[in-house]
Amino acid sequence: MKTKYEVDPDGCTGCGGCAALCPVSAIEVDAILATITDECIGCGICADFCPVSVIDRRKS
Amino acid sequence: MNKYDVIISGASVAGLYSGYKLAKAGMSVLIIDRRAEIGNPVRCGEATGNRREIERFFPYDESYIARDLTGLAVHVNGSEELSVEIPDTGVILRREKFEQYIANLAKKAGATITLDETVTGLIESETGYSGVNSSMGYITGKFIVAADGAESFLGREAGLTSHLKPRDAYTALQYRIKSDKFNDGKMHFFSGNQSIPNGYIWVFPKDNGEVSVGAGLFGSHKKGEKAATYLDAFMAEHYANCKKSMLITGCAPIAVSPKQLTKANLLIVGDAARMVNPLTAGGIMNALEAADLMGDCIIEAHRKGSLKPLDRYSKKWNGTPRFIQKVFFVIKDIYSQSPDEEIIATAQAAAKFLAKLDRSKLFTLPFSALFPMIRLYSGRFIKWIPWLIKG
């Protein structure tokens, strides 16, 4: 199975930087939380850039 | 009623101000934002232009001003390399109050502001776009303004922008702290490869005895390198016993705006159109400037019943404002690759440049102050010249 990424909802501030960077628009953001959908291609750009480091590979 | 002259996605500076301007001109305006409250959460270092610059657009009001800035200090690897007093440097905003102030102007002018609702897509028509789909259903609009921030959702839908490339993304975080240290009215910048490579740390004065301490990295930083790591080290050194409050994070585009800002009756503005200063990541004055220009074009197009006047928006923005963005883009690129001793020289030249800058003539820049910098960097600068002229 392909690597996918997920957001830890506890630390996410919803700033939306990840969504701006996501090349396949796989990140949805409401005002306070980002969610990574199954469209994720696993490039990891969001995780590199997340200012609060709450994006990581999915554990499942 | 689900029919408006203008639908604006995004109730922040660019969206609210254009909404105010268009409603004042008699158009029916709907502003939609996914946030539940205007101005919150704040995504901003809150430094912007001075009183005179703000008053070009709407009245200056003490309610949204936290502090007047009195100058600039640059520290490289812990030592203060320069410190200049610059009257009218700018102000530190209470950003949420600032947005609420513009929102009130827009409401008084007759604009409808709808919060906690999301725009989900564009509806195409033969001549462009007939409206948007949203969490409130289908809404019709003669003009659609995408002021939806760095994500630029509608701009991407329309193909005017794409996702932000890593090299064009500036990521930052900031804490609020009660402290007297570096709390003298100046903007303090901390640079140097020991402190923070490929970015800078800032301390900005705020009201109530507080300062905002933040760190930001320019795009394309090394894997695993985080602004937070540098900020934590800085805090441990300078603000060890201070309680951190209010974490603010954000991402700013540090690219240059696309040349095409309109597609049929859709227009992009502000961060959505990458209208940010690529060196400072500041975007408030640019957003107001562009929204003003865009507003004039929409009003004219509405009166004439033609989309032709909208072309003037891209054309005018691509003149001086976008050229200034390109100059700062080059400075940013050179800065982010320079060793510390060159950063010191750069900072000194930049300080002279700022000290001579006559801000009443916004676009008359004292280029002579940049000569030492250009001499130092001429080799690296030359390759940018064709792009500066034609790019």
Side-chain angles (χ1 to χ4, degrees), chain A residues 13-17 19-23 25 29 31 45 47-53, chain B residues 34-35 43 150-151 156 163-164 166 169 171-173 220-221 223 226 228 247 249 251:
Chain A
T13 60
C15 73
L21 281 151
C22 180
S25 307
V29 192
I45 287 171
D48 285 348
F49 276 78
C50 176
V52 286
S53 305
Chain B
R34 66 186 178 198
R35 294 179 298 180
R43 305 271 180 231
E151 272 179 73
R156 280 205 230 185
H163 63 90
L164 209 53
T171 46
L173 77 168
S220 297
H221 48 260
K223 232 179 162 55
K226 292 280 182 184
L247 168 68
T249 66
C251 172

PDB file of all heavy atoms in Angstrom, chain A residues 13-17 19-23 25 29 31 45 47-53, chain B residues 34-35 43 150-151 156 163-164 166 169 171-173 220-221 223 226 228 247 249 251:
ATOM      1  N   THR A  13      -3.214  23.821  13.867  1.00  0.00           N
ATOM      2  CA  THR A  13      -3.785  25.143  14.100  1.00  0.00           C
ATOM      3  C   THR A  13      -4.675  25.572  12.938  1.00  0.00           C
ATOM      4  O   THR A  13      -5.238  26.656  12.965  1.00  0.00           O
ATOM      5  CB  THR A  13      -2.670  26.192  14.296  1.00  0.00           C
ATOM      6  OG1 THR A  13      -1.877  26.214  13.108  1.00  0.00           O
ATOM      7  CG2 THR A  13      -1.795  25.848  15.479  1.00  0.00           C
ATOM      8  N   GLY A  14      -4.739  24.752  11.907  1.00  0.00           N
ATOM      9  CA  GLY A  14      -5.616  25.064  10.773  1.00  0.00           C
ATOM     10  C   GLY A  14      -5.127  26.190   9.895  1.00  0.00           C
ATOM     11  O   GLY A  14      -5.906  26.832   9.201  1.00  0.00           O
ATOM     12  N   CYS A  15      -3.813  26.440   9.903  1.00  0.00           N
ATOM     13  CA  CYS A  15      -3.314  27.600   9.152  1.00  0.00           C
ATOM     14  C   CYS A  15      -3.421  27.411   7.645  1.00  0.00           C
ATOM     15  O   CYS A  15      -3.447  28.366   6.892  1.00  0.00           O
ATOM     16  CB  CYS A  15      -1.885  27.949   9.546  1.00  0.00           C
ATOM     17  SG  CYS A  15      -0.597  26.815   8.965  1.00  0.00           S
ATOM     18  N   GLY A  16      -3.472  26.160   7.197  1.00  0.00           N
ATOM     19  CA  GLY A  16      -3.719  25.916   5.776  1.00  0.00           C
ATOM     20  C   GLY A  16      -2.484  25.927   4.883  1.00  0.00           C
ATOM     21  O   GLY A  16      -2.592  25.816   3.665  1.00  0.00           O
ATOM     22  N   GLY A  17      -1.310  26.063   5.485  1.00  0.00           N
ATOM     23  CA  GLY A  17      -0.081  26.038   4.685  1.00  0.00           C
ATOM     24  C   GLY A  17       0.037  24.745   3.896  1.00  0.00           C
ATOM     25  O   GLY A  17       0.382  24.748   2.717  1.00  0.00           O
ATOM     26  N   ALA A  19      -2.314  22.821   2.819  1.00  0.00           N
ATOM     27  CA  ALA A  19      -3.277  22.778   1.719  1.00  0.00           C
ATOM     28  C   ALA A  19      -2.814  23.626   0.546  1.00  0.00           C
ATOM     29  O   ALA A  19      -3.040  23.292  -0.615  1.00  0.00           O
ATOM     30  CB  ALA A  19      -4.640  23.236   2.206  1.00  0.00           C
ATOM     31  N   ALA A  20      -2.138  24.750   0.855  1.00  0.00           N
ATOM     32  CA  ALA A  20      -1.625  25.605  -0.209  1.00  0.00           C
ATOM     33  C   ALA A  20      -0.533  24.877  -0.986  1.00  0.00           C
ATOM     34  O   ALA A  20      -0.368  25.063  -2.187  1.00  0.00           O
ATOM     35  CB  ALA A  20      -1.093  26.905   0.372  1.00  0.00           C
ATOM     36  N   LEU A  21       0.232  24.030  -0.283  1.00  0.00           N
ATOM     37  CA  LEU A  21       1.372  23.355  -0.905  1.00  0.00           C
ATOM     38  C   LEU A  21       0.973  22.054  -1.598  1.00  0.00           C
ATOM     39  O   LEU A  21       1.644  21.611  -2.525  1.00  0.00           O
ATOM     40  CB  LEU A  21       2.412  23.033   0.169  1.00  0.00           C
ATOM     41  CG  LEU A  21       3.276  24.218   0.580  1.00  0.00           C
ATOM     42  CD1 LEU A  21       3.728  24.066   2.027  1.00  0.00           C
ATOM     43  CD2 LEU A  21       4.485  24.342  -0.329  1.00  0.00           C
ATOM     44  N   CYS A  22      -0.089  21.410  -1.146  1.00  0.00           N
ATOM     45  CA  CYS A  22      -0.425  20.077  -1.644  1.00  0.00           C
ATOM     46  C   CYS A  22      -0.614  20.089  -3.159  1.00  0.00           C
ATOM     47  O   CYS A  22      -1.477  20.785  -3.686  1.00  0.00           O
ATOM     48  CB  CYS A  22      -1.698  19.559  -0.981  1.00  0.00           C
ATOM     49  SG  CYS A  22      -2.134  17.920  -1.585  1.00  0.00           S
ATOM     50  N   PRO A  23       0.210  19.308  -3.896  1.00  0.00           N
ATOM     51  CA  PRO A  23       0.131  19.359  -5.359  1.00  0.00           C
ATOM     52  C   PRO A  23      -1.122  18.710  -5.927  1.00  0.00           C
ATOM     53  O   PRO A  23      -1.443  18.917  -7.084  1.00  0.00           O
ATOM     54  CB  PRO A  23       1.389  18.617  -5.807  1.00  0.00           C
ATOM     55  CG  PRO A  23       1.792  17.781  -4.651  1.00  0.00           C
ATOM     56  CD  PRO A  23       1.304  18.466  -3.419  1.00  0.00           C
ATOM     57  N   SER A  25      -4.242  18.777  -4.244  1.00  0.00           N
ATOM     58  CA  SER A  25      -5.407  19.322  -3.512  1.00  0.00           C
ATOM     59  C   SER A  25      -6.081  18.269  -2.644  1.00  0.00           C
ATOM     60  O   SER A  25      -7.306  18.125  -2.646  1.00  0.00           O
ATOM     61  CB  SER A  25      -6.448  19.905  -4.487  1.00  0.00           C
ATOM     62  OG  SER A  25      -5.842  20.817  -5.329  1.00  0.00           O
ATOM     63  N   VAL A  29      -9.284  22.069   4.662  1.00  0.00           N
ATOM     64  CA  VAL A  29      -9.065  22.825   5.898  1.00  0.00           C
ATOM     65  C   VAL A  29     -10.334  23.571   6.263  1.00  0.00           C
ATOM     66  O   VAL A  29     -10.925  24.228   5.411  1.00  0.00           O
ATOM     67  CB  VAL A  29      -7.945  23.878   5.709  1.00  0.00           C
ATOM     68  CG1 VAL A  29      -7.530  24.452   7.054  1.00  0.00           C
ATOM     69  CG2 VAL A  29      -6.752  23.287   5.008  1.00  0.00           C
ATOM     70  N   ALA A  31     -11.571  26.274   9.500  1.00  0.00           N
ATOM     71  CA  ALA A  31     -10.791  27.349  10.102  1.00  0.00           C
ATOM     72  C   ALA A  31      -9.789  26.859  11.146  1.00  0.00           C
ATOM     73  O   ALA A  31      -8.809  27.527  11.427  1.00  0.00           O
ATOM     74  CB  ALA A  31     -11.714  28.381  10.713  1.00  0.00           C
ATOM     75  N   ILE A  45       5.355  16.699   1.229  1.00  0.00           N
ATOM     76  CA  ILE A  45       5.695  18.129   1.254  1.00  0.00           C
ATOM     77  C   ILE A  45       5.016  18.807   2.442  1.00  0.00           C
ATOM     78  O   ILE A  45       5.619  19.625   3.140  1.00  0.00           O
ATOM     79  CB  ILE A  45       5.274  18.801  -0.075  1.00  0.00           C
ATOM     80  CG1 ILE A  45       6.225  18.361  -1.199  1.00  0.00           C
ATOM     81  CG2 ILE A  45       5.277  20.319   0.034  1.00  0.00           C
ATOM     82  CD1 ILE A  45       5.795  18.782  -2.585  1.00  0.00           C
ATOM     83  N   ALA A  47       4.261  17.569   5.330  1.00  0.00           N
ATOM     84  CA  ALA A  47       4.933  17.239   6.591  1.00  0.00           C
ATOM     85  C   ALA A  47       6.218  18.044   6.750  1.00  0.00           C
ATOM     86  O   ALA A  47       6.540  18.508   7.835  1.00  0.00           O
ATOM     87  CB  ALA A  47       5.226  15.746   6.641  1.00  0.00           C
ATOM     88  N   ASP A  48       6.960  18.211   5.626  1.00  0.00           N
ATOM     89  CA  ASP A  48       8.193  19.005   5.677  1.00  0.00           C
ATOM     90  C   ASP A  48       7.912  20.432   6.110  1.00  0.00           C
ATOM     91  O   ASP A  48       8.709  21.047   6.808  1.00  0.00           O
ATOM     92  CB  ASP A  48       8.859  19.055   4.298  1.00  0.00           C
ATOM     93  CG  ASP A  48       9.546  17.754   3.953  1.00  0.00           C
ATOM     94  OD1 ASP A  48       9.697  16.912   4.863  1.00  0.00           O
ATOM     95  OD2 ASP A  48       9.933  17.577   2.785  1.00  0.00           O
ATOM     96  N   PHE A  49       6.786  20.979   5.649  1.00  0.00           N
ATOM     97  CA  PHE A  49       6.548  22.393   5.858  1.00  0.00           C
ATOM     98  C   PHE A  49       5.706  22.717   7.084  1.00  0.00           C
ATOM     99  O   PHE A  49       5.710  23.843   7.538  1.00  0.00           O
ATOM    100  CB  PHE A  49       5.904  23.015   4.611  1.00  0.00           C
ATOM    101  CG  PHE A  49       6.930  23.405   3.584  1.00  0.00           C
ATOM    102  CD1 PHE A  49       7.507  22.453   2.766  1.00  0.00           C
ATOM    103  CD2 PHE A  49       7.346  24.721   3.475  1.00  0.00           C
ATOM    104  CE1 PHE A  49       8.469  22.808   1.837  1.00  0.00           C
ATOM    105  CE2 PHE A  49       8.306  25.075   2.550  1.00  0.00           C
ATOM    106  CZ  PHE A  49       8.872  24.111   1.720  1.00  0.00           C
ATOM    107  N   CYS A  50       4.967  21.754   7.610  1.00  0.00           N
ATOM    108  CA  CYS A  50       4.057  22.048   8.720  1.00  0.00           C
ATOM    109  C   CYS A  50       4.783  22.772   9.848  1.00  0.00           C
ATOM    110  O   CYS A  50       5.725  22.241  10.436  1.00  0.00           O
ATOM    111  CB  CYS A  50       3.418  20.768   9.269  1.00  0.00           C
ATOM    112  SG  CYS A  50       2.379  21.102  10.711  1.00  0.00           S
ATOM    113  N   PRO A  51       4.391  24.018  10.165  1.00  0.00           N
ATOM    114  CA  PRO A  51       5.131  24.787  11.165  1.00  0.00           C
ATOM    115  C   PRO A  51       5.051  24.195  12.573  1.00  0.00           C
ATOM    116  O   PRO A  51       5.901  24.476  13.406  1.00  0.00           O
ATOM    117  CB  PRO A  51       4.513  26.180  11.097  1.00  0.00           C
ATOM    118  CG  PRO A  51       3.213  26.028  10.398  1.00  0.00           C
ATOM    119  CD  PRO A  51       3.306  24.803   9.551  1.00  0.00           C
ATOM    120  N   VAL A  52       4.023  23.399  12.846  1.00  0.00           N
ATOM    121  CA  VAL A  52       3.915  22.816  14.185  1.00  0.00           C
ATOM    122  C   VAL A  52       4.193  21.304  14.189  1.00  0.00           C
ATOM    123  O   VAL A  52       3.955  20.620  15.186  1.00  0.00           O
ATOM    124  CB  VAL A  52       2.531  23.120  14.826  1.00  0.00           C
ATOM    125  CG1 VAL A  52       2.472  24.572  15.257  1.00  0.00           C
ATOM    126  CG2 VAL A  52       1.389  22.819  13.868  1.00  0.00           C
ATOM    127  N   SER A  53       4.689  20.799  13.064  1.00  0.00           N
ATOM    128  CA  SER A  53       5.114  19.392  12.947  1.00  0.00           C
ATOM    129  C   SER A  53       4.056  18.388  13.405  1.00  0.00           C
ATOM    130  O   SER A  53       4.348  17.483  14.179  1.00  0.00           O
ATOM    131  CB  SER A  53       6.397  19.137  13.754  1.00  0.00           C
ATOM    132  OG  SER A  53       7.387  20.033  13.358  1.00  0.00           O
TER     133      SER A  53
ATOM    134  N   ARG B  34     -15.054  30.833   5.497  1.00  0.00           N
ATOM    135  CA  ARG B  34     -15.236  29.585   6.233  1.00  0.00           C
ATOM    136  C   ARG B  34     -14.990  29.757   7.730  1.00  0.00           C
ATOM    137  O   ARG B  34     -15.357  28.912   8.531  1.00  0.00           O
ATOM    138  CB  ARG B  34     -14.310  28.495   5.682  1.00  0.00           C
ATOM    139  CG  ARG B  34     -12.840  28.769   5.911  1.00  0.00           C
ATOM    140  CD  ARG B  34     -11.992  27.730   5.222  1.00  0.00           C
ATOM    141  NE  ARG B  34     -10.570  28.023   5.404  1.00  0.00           N
ATOM    142  CZ  ARG B  34      -9.609  27.521   4.656  1.00  0.00           C
ATOM    143  NH1 ARG B  34      -9.886  26.710   3.677  1.00  0.00           N
ATOM    144  NH2 ARG B  34      -8.344  27.826   4.879  1.00  0.00           N
ATOM    145  N   ARG B  35     -14.352  30.853   8.102  1.00  0.00           N
ATOM    146  CA  ARG B  35     -14.120  31.080   9.528  1.00  0.00           C
ATOM    147  C   ARG B  35     -15.419  31.511  10.206  1.00  0.00           C
ATOM    148  O   ARG B  35     -16.311  32.069   9.576  1.00  0.00           O
ATOM    149  CB  ARG B  35     -13.065  32.173   9.724  1.00  0.00           C
ATOM    150  CG  ARG B  35     -11.689  31.754   9.228  1.00  0.00           C
ATOM    151  CD  ARG B  35     -10.681  32.852   9.420  1.00  0.00           C
ATOM    152  NE  ARG B  35     -11.024  34.049   8.654  1.00  0.00           N
ATOM    153  CZ  ARG B  35     -10.309  35.150   8.649  1.00  0.00           C
ATOM    154  NH1 ARG B  35      -9.202  35.224   9.365  1.00  0.00           N
ATOM    155  NH2 ARG B  35     -10.678  36.185   7.939  1.00  0.00           N
ATOM    156  N   ARG B  43      -3.533  35.074  11.420  1.00  0.00           N
ATOM    157  CA  ARG B  43      -2.469  34.349  10.703  1.00  0.00           C
ATOM    158  C   ARG B  43      -1.419  35.337  10.233  1.00  0.00           C
ATOM    159  O   ARG B  43      -1.198  35.467   9.045  1.00  0.00           O
ATOM    160  CB  ARG B  43      -3.049  33.686   9.444  1.00  0.00           C
ATOM    161  CG  ARG B  43      -4.217  32.794   9.671  1.00  0.00           C
ATOM    162  CD  ARG B  43      -3.742  31.407   9.957  1.00  0.00           C
ATOM    163  NE  ARG B  43      -4.859  30.519  10.172  1.00  0.00           N
ATOM    164  CZ  ARG B  43      -4.963  29.729  11.233  1.00  0.00           C
ATOM    165  NH1 ARG B  43      -4.052  29.751  12.178  1.00  0.00           N
ATOM    166  NH2 ARG B  43      -5.974  28.923  11.349  1.00  0.00           N
ATOM    167  N   ALA B 150      -3.762  31.969   0.666  1.00  0.00           N
ATOM    168  CA  ALA B 150      -2.658  31.250   0.029  1.00  0.00           C
ATOM    169  C   ALA B 150      -3.087  29.941  -0.640  1.00  0.00           C
ATOM    170  O   ALA B 150      -2.480  29.521  -1.624  1.00  0.00           O
ATOM    171  CB  ALA B 150      -1.567  30.967   1.062  1.00  0.00           C
ATOM    172  N   GLU B 151      -4.130  29.309  -0.118  1.00  0.00           N
ATOM    173  CA  GLU B 151      -4.615  28.077  -0.752  1.00  0.00           C
ATOM    174  C   GLU B 151      -5.140  28.341  -2.155  1.00  0.00           C
ATOM    175  O   GLU B 151      -5.095  27.473  -3.013  1.00  0.00           O
ATOM    176  CB  GLU B 151      -5.778  27.499   0.064  1.00  0.00           C
ATOM    177  CG  GLU B 151      -5.360  26.582   1.162  1.00  0.00           C
ATOM    178  CD  GLU B 151      -6.600  26.112   1.908  1.00  0.00           C
ATOM    179  OE1 GLU B 151      -7.336  25.288   1.361  1.00  0.00           O
ATOM    180  OE2 GLU B 151      -6.820  26.605   3.022  1.00  0.00           O
ATOM    181  N   ARG B 156      -7.158  28.161  -8.327  1.00  0.00           N
ATOM    182  CA  ARG B 156      -6.744  26.851  -8.836  1.00  0.00           C
ATOM    183  C   ARG B 156      -7.839  26.246  -9.700  1.00  0.00           C
ATOM    184  O   ARG B 156      -7.579  25.700 -10.760  1.00  0.00           O
ATOM    185  CB  ARG B 156      -6.493  25.891  -7.667  1.00  0.00           C
ATOM    186  CG  ARG B 156      -5.166  26.060  -6.998  1.00  0.00           C
ATOM    187  CD  ARG B 156      -4.793  24.727  -6.342  1.00  0.00           C
ATOM    188  NE  ARG B 156      -4.393  24.905  -4.967  1.00  0.00           N
ATOM    189  CZ  ARG B 156      -3.936  23.914  -4.209  1.00  0.00           C
ATOM    190  NH1 ARG B 156      -3.856  22.685  -4.687  1.00  0.00           N
ATOM    191  NH2 ARG B 156      -3.565  24.134  -2.972  1.00  0.00           N
ATOM    192  N   HIS B 163      -0.977  24.967  -7.138  1.00  0.00           N
ATOM    193  CA  HIS B 163      -0.547  24.808  -5.752  1.00  0.00           C
ATOM    194  C   HIS B 163       0.767  25.569  -5.551  1.00  0.00           C
ATOM    195  O   HIS B 163       1.504  25.810  -6.503  1.00  0.00           O
ATOM    196  CB  HIS B 163      -0.374  23.326  -5.419  1.00  0.00           C
ATOM    197  CG  HIS B 163       0.694  22.668  -6.238  1.00  0.00           C
ATOM    198  ND1 HIS B 163       2.012  22.613  -5.829  1.00  0.00           N
ATOM    199  CD2 HIS B 163       0.660  22.075  -7.445  1.00  0.00           C
ATOM    200  CE1 HIS B 163       2.726  22.010  -6.745  1.00  0.00           C
ATOM    201  NE2 HIS B 163       1.938  21.659  -7.737  1.00  0.00           N
ATOM    202  N   LEU B 164       1.041  25.917  -4.304  1.00  0.00           N
ATOM    203  CA  LEU B 164       2.255  26.661  -3.990  1.00  0.00           C
ATOM    204  C   LEU B 164       3.455  25.721  -4.087  1.00  0.00           C
ATOM    205  O   LEU B 164       3.465  24.656  -3.471  1.00  0.00           O
ATOM    206  CB  LEU B 164       2.116  27.193  -2.567  1.00  0.00           C
ATOM    207  CG  LEU B 164       2.826  28.466  -2.185  1.00  0.00           C
ATOM    208  CD1 LEU B 164       2.478  29.587  -3.150  1.00  0.00           C
ATOM    209  CD2 LEU B 164       2.417  28.856  -0.776  1.00  0.00           C
ATOM    210  N   PRO B 166       7.100  24.327  -3.238  1.00  0.00           N
ATOM    211  CA  PRO B 166       7.842  24.432  -1.973  1.00  0.00           C
ATOM    212  C   PRO B 166       8.802  25.627  -1.929  1.00  0.00           C
ATOM    213  O   PRO B 166       8.909  26.291  -0.912  1.00  0.00           O
ATOM    214  CB  PRO B 166       8.608  23.113  -1.920  1.00  0.00           C
ATOM    215  CG  PRO B 166       7.720  22.156  -2.635  1.00  0.00           C
ATOM    216  CD  PRO B 166       7.074  22.946  -3.750  1.00  0.00           C
ATOM    217  N   ALA B 169       7.066  28.909  -0.808  1.00  0.00           N
ATOM    218  CA  ALA B 169       6.264  28.927   0.414  1.00  0.00           C
ATOM    219  C   ALA B 169       7.110  29.396   1.593  1.00  0.00           C
ATOM    220  O   ALA B 169       8.211  28.908   1.823  1.00  0.00           O
ATOM    221  CB  ALA B 169       5.719  27.536   0.698  1.00  0.00           C
ATOM    222  N   THR B 171       6.985  29.552   5.561  1.00  0.00           N
ATOM    223  CA  THR B 171       6.214  29.068   6.704  1.00  0.00           C
ATOM    224  C   THR B 171       6.754  29.697   7.974  1.00  0.00           C
ATOM    225  O   THR B 171       7.963  29.849   8.142  1.00  0.00           O
ATOM    226  CB  THR B 171       6.284  27.537   6.862  1.00  0.00           C
ATOM    227  OG1 THR B 171       7.629  27.129   6.718  1.00  0.00           O
ATOM    228  CG2 THR B 171       5.428  26.841   5.846  1.00  0.00           C
ATOM    229  N   ALA B 172       5.848  30.014   8.868  1.00  0.00           N
ATOM    230  CA  ALA B 172       6.263  30.753  10.056  1.00  0.00           C
ATOM    231  C   ALA B 172       5.396  30.409  11.248  1.00  0.00           C
ATOM    232  O   ALA B 172       4.282  29.916  11.103  1.00  0.00           O
ATOM    233  CB  ALA B 172       6.166  32.250   9.780  1.00  0.00           C
ATOM    234  N   LEU B 173       5.960  30.646  12.425  1.00  0.00           N
ATOM    235  CA  LEU B 173       5.152  30.571  13.637  1.00  0.00           C
ATOM    236  C   LEU B 173       5.593  31.653  14.603  1.00  0.00           C
ATOM    237  O   LEU B 173       6.709  32.177  14.493  1.00  0.00           O
ATOM    238  CB  LEU B 173       5.185  29.180  14.280  1.00  0.00           C
ATOM    239  CG  LEU B 173       6.380  28.715  15.091  1.00  0.00           C
ATOM    240  CD1 LEU B 173       6.029  27.455  15.833  1.00  0.00           C
ATOM    241  CD2 LEU B 173       7.572  28.458  14.167  1.00  0.00           C
ATOM    242  N   SER B 220      11.884  25.753   0.182  1.00  0.00           N
ATOM    243  CA  SER B 220      12.957  24.834  -0.189  1.00  0.00           C
ATOM    244  C   SER B 220      14.006  24.647   0.889  1.00  0.00           C
ATOM    245  O   SER B 220      15.185  24.526   0.600  1.00  0.00           O
ATOM    246  CB  SER B 220      13.666  25.301  -1.468  1.00  0.00           C
ATOM    247  OG  SER B 220      12.766  25.291  -2.526  1.00  0.00           O
ATOM    248  N   HIS B 221      13.573  24.670   2.150  1.00  0.00           N
ATOM    249  CA  HIS B 221      14.555  24.394   3.190  1.00  0.00           C
ATOM    250  C   HIS B 221      14.841  22.894   3.240  1.00  0.00           C
ATOM    251  O   HIS B 221      14.123  22.086   2.670  1.00  0.00           O
ATOM    252  CB  HIS B 221      14.094  24.920   4.541  1.00  0.00           C
ATOM    253  CG  HIS B 221      12.692  24.559   4.904  1.00  0.00           C
ATOM    254  ND1 HIS B 221      11.643  25.428   4.753  1.00  0.00           N
ATOM    255  CD2 HIS B 221      12.170  23.424   5.375  1.00  0.00           C
ATOM    256  CE1 HIS B 221      10.537  24.836   5.139  1.00  0.00           C
ATOM    257  NE2 HIS B 221      10.825  23.620   5.516  1.00  0.00           N
ATOM    258  N   LYS B 223      15.256  19.046   4.327  1.00  0.00           N
ATOM    259  CA  LYS B 223      14.286  18.141   4.932  1.00  0.00           C
ATOM    260  C   LYS B 223      14.486  18.094   6.449  1.00  0.00           C
ATOM    261  O   LYS B 223      15.601  18.018   6.933  1.00  0.00           O
ATOM    262  CB  LYS B 223      14.488  16.739   4.349  1.00  0.00           C
ATOM    263  CG  LYS B 223      13.201  16.153   3.822  1.00  0.00           C
ATOM    264  CD  LYS B 223      13.394  14.773   3.216  1.00  0.00           C
ATOM    265  CE  LYS B 223      12.069  14.053   3.107  1.00  0.00           C
ATOM    266  NZ  LYS B 223      11.019  14.775   2.375  1.00  0.00           N
ATOM    267  N   LYS B 226      13.057  22.920  10.659  1.00  0.00           N
ATOM    268  CA  LYS B 226      11.799  23.538  11.076  1.00  0.00           C
ATOM    269  C   LYS B 226      12.029  24.908  11.688  1.00  0.00           C
ATOM    270  O   LYS B 226      12.944  25.085  12.502  1.00  0.00           O
ATOM    271  CB  LYS B 226      11.117  22.652  12.127  1.00  0.00           C
ATOM    272  CG  LYS B 226      10.617  21.320  11.589  1.00  0.00           C
ATOM    273  CD  LYS B 226       9.291  21.493  10.880  1.00  0.00           C
ATOM    274  CE  LYS B 226       8.772  20.152  10.387  1.00  0.00           C
ATOM    275  NZ  LYS B 226       7.535  20.316   9.614  1.00  0.00           N
ATOM    276  N   ALA B 228      10.270  26.095  13.934  1.00  0.00           N
ATOM    277  CA  ALA B 228      10.018  25.931  15.370  1.00  0.00           C
ATOM    278  C   ALA B 228      11.295  25.604  16.144  1.00  0.00           C
ATOM    279  O   ALA B 228      11.479  26.070  17.268  1.00  0.00           O
ATOM    280  CB  ALA B 228       8.981  24.832  15.587  1.00  0.00           C
ATOM    281  N   LEU B 247      -0.167  30.968  20.178  1.00  0.00           N
ATOM    282  CA  LEU B 247       0.627  30.481  19.044  1.00  0.00           C
ATOM    283  C   LEU B 247      -0.075  30.863  17.749  1.00  0.00           C
ATOM    284  O   LEU B 247      -1.249  30.606  17.565  1.00  0.00           O
ATOM    285  CB  LEU B 247       0.756  28.957  19.133  1.00  0.00           C
ATOM    286  CG  LEU B 247       1.313  28.243  17.891  1.00  0.00           C
ATOM    287  CD1 LEU B 247       2.777  28.590  17.682  1.00  0.00           C
ATOM    288  CD2 LEU B 247       1.139  26.736  18.012  1.00  0.00           C
ATOM    289  N   THR B 249       0.387  30.464  13.576  1.00  0.00           N
ATOM    290  CA  THR B 249       1.173  29.853  12.501  1.00  0.00           C
ATOM    291  C   THR B 249       0.596  30.305  11.177  1.00  0.00           C
ATOM    292  O   THR B 249      -0.543  30.727  11.081  1.00  0.00           O
ATOM    293  CB  THR B 249       1.114  28.317  12.543  1.00  0.00           C
ATOM    294  OG1 THR B 249      -0.232  27.902  12.264  1.00  0.00           O
ATOM    295  CG2 THR B 249       1.547  27.766  13.872  1.00  0.00           C
ATOM    296  N   CYS B 251       1.339  30.415   6.545  1.00  0.00           N
ATOM    297  CA  CYS B 251       2.121  30.136   5.354  1.00  0.00           C
ATOM    298  C   CYS B 251       1.849  31.262   4.369  1.00  0.00           C
ATOM    299  O   CYS B 251       0.686  31.580   4.126  1.00  0.00           O
ATOM    300  CB  CYS B 251       1.662  28.806   4.763  1.00  0.00           C
ATOM    301  SG  CYS B 251       2.384  28.445   3.167  1.00  0.00           S
TER     302      CYS B 251
END
